[in-house]
Amino acid sequence: MSSPPRVIEPLSPFRQLVRDGMELAGRKHCVHGLIEIDVTEARRRLQSIKVATGESISFTGFVVYCCARAVDEDKHLQAYLDWRNRLVIFDDVDVSLPVERTYQGKPVVLQTVIRAANRKSVAQIHREIRALQATELDETPWGRWLRWYVWIPRFFRRLVFRLAQRAPTLVKRFNGTVLVTAVGMFGTGTGWGIPLPGHTLCVTIGGVDARSVLMDEHVQQREYLCVTVSFDHDIVDGAPAARFSQRLAALIRAGEGLAEML
C-alpha cells in the first residue's frame, strides 16, 4: 500500500504559546546589532575546567553570566513601560532562557528564568540549567498549566498578553527581564540569528567561526562567536546599547567568572 499523501498533527500548546508571544513581540520597535567576539580564551578555560573536574560547563550558561553582569552595570537596559508610560527598572537581572526538556516523552523547548543571574556564579547558573534539563515538564507548574492553555479562546489569550505587557512586575515574574537565546544550542556552524524579541534586551548566541588572524606579528588560530544584540528602541538609545555591547564582548573575551572554577 502507498503511504498517505500527508500527515495532520494538532498544534502543540507550546507552539500556540509562541504564536501568541510573537504577535506581541512584532509590535516592538527593535534594533539589532551583529557583533563578533573572540572566545578563544573562554573556550580554553572551559576545556581546562572539563579536564580538571570532568564537568562540561554550559557555554550558554557562561554567556548568561556575562550578560547579567553587563546589565547589572546599567539596569536601564532591562527597563519596561507600565500602563502610565513610566519606566520600571528592576534590580535583579532575571534571564529568560530556552531550555530543552521532555514532555510526554518528546523533546520540547520552553522558556525558563534564571532568577537574579547578576548575583550568581557561572557554576550556579550552569547547575541550574542542567537541573532544569533533567526535569520532566509534566512535573513543573508550567507543564501542568499548559495542558489547559489551548482551551482558552485565542482572542482572550492575546488580550491578556497585551494587558500583561504593561504590567512589568508580571512580565518579570513569568518571563524574566532579559532574554538570552542560542541558535548554537540546536546546531553548529557560523552565522547570526535575528530574533523577534519580546524583551527590552535580547542576546542571541550564534555560531563559532575559526580563523587565522595576525596578532603580535604572528599568525594565530582564533575562534569568534557570532552574537546578535537586540534592543527595544522605545526604551534604549544607541549610546547605552553600544556600551552594553562593548562590555558584554569584553567579559566574554576575558572568560569572566571561569578562572574561579579552575
Side-chain angles (χ1 to χ4, degrees):
M1 293 180 61
S2 61
S3 60
R6 60 182 178 177
V7 175
I8 299 176
E9 295 182 352
L11 191 66
S12 73
F14 309 101
R15 301 316 311 165
Q16 295 196 41
L17 182 63
V18 170
R19 287 182 67 197
D20 293 344
M22 289 298 97
E23 180 171 298
L24 292 179
R27 299 172 180 269
K28 287 187 176 290
H29 304 130
C30 287
V31 293
H32 308 281
L34 308 180
I35 61 177
E36 291 182 324
I37 303 173
D38 188 336
V39 292
T40 310
E41 176 61 19
R43 286 167 70 94
R44 183 194 67 77
R45 290 188 181 185
L46 287 168
Q47 182 60 32
S48 297
I49 293 168
K50 183 177 181 180
V51 171
T53 67
E55 187 174 18
S56 296
I57 300 299
S58 166
F59 185 77
T60 300
F62 161 64
V63 175
V64 167
Y65 170 86
C66 293
C67 177
R69 294 290 164 144
V71 172
D72 197 42
E73 297 177 14
D74 182 4
K75 295 191 174 75
H76 280 82
L77 292 159
Q78 60 168 9
Y80 288 85
L81 289 169
D82 68 6
W83 63 278
R84 294 174 62 184
N85 278 329
R86 301 174 303 183
L87 286 177
V88 177
I89 305 163
F90 296 103
D91 190 47
D92 285 344
V93 182
D94 290 351
V95 179
S96 182
L97 180 72
V99 174
E100 187 174 79
R101 309 187 203 178
T102 57
Y103 180 70
Q104 298 179 348
K106 297 181 180 180
V108 295
V109 178
L110 188 67
Q111 296 295 125
T112 191
V113 179
I114 308 297
R115 300 290 177 188
N118 54 323
R119 307 181 196 281
K120 293 178 178 176
S121 66
V122 176
Q124 288 173 315
I125 293 171
H126 160 75
R127 286 167 190 148
E128 193 169 330
I129 292 172
R130 292 290 184 255
L132 289 165
Q133 290 172 329
T135 304
E136 284 277 348
L137 196 54
D138 288 342
E139 301 172 8
T140 67
W142 264 108
R144 291 189 288 270
W145 176 77
L146 277 171
R147 297 173 189 172
W148 303 101
Y149 184 76
V150 291
W151 297 104
I152 303 172
R154 190 179 182 190
F155 78 89
F156 185 72
R157 297 197 313 255
R158 295 190 173 186
L159 175 62
V160 170
F161 268 60
R162 291 187 67 177
L163 292 174
Q165 263 196 329
R166 286 307 184 102
T169 302
L170 198 60
V171 171
K172 179 181 185 293
R173 179 180 177 185
F174 287 99
N175 215 23
T177 58
V178 173
L179 174 64
V180 173
T181 184
V183 176
M185 289 172 66
F186 313 108
T188 58
T190 304
W192 288 265
I194 306 297
L196 190 62
H199 292 73
T200 301
L201 167 64
C202 172
V203 174
T204 304
I205 306 168
V208 175
D209 180 30
R211 67 181 71 155
S212 298
V213 298
L214 184 64
M215 295 184 66
D216 300 324
E217 300 182 352
H218 297 283
V219 176
Q220 299 183 21
Q221 191 74 8
R222 311 292 291 183
E223 294 179 302
Y224 289 86
L225 176 68
C226 303
V227 176
T228 307
V229 286
S230 307
F231 306 90
D232 183 347
H233 206 1
D234 289 348
I235 297 174
V236 181
D237 285 327
R243 286 193 293 269
F244 167 80
S245 301
Q246 291 169 0
R247 183 58 177 154
L248 176 66
L251 292 170
I252 294 175
R253 188 165 50 244
E256 189 73 18
L258 297 176
E260 62 194 54
M261 301 179 66
L262 291 170

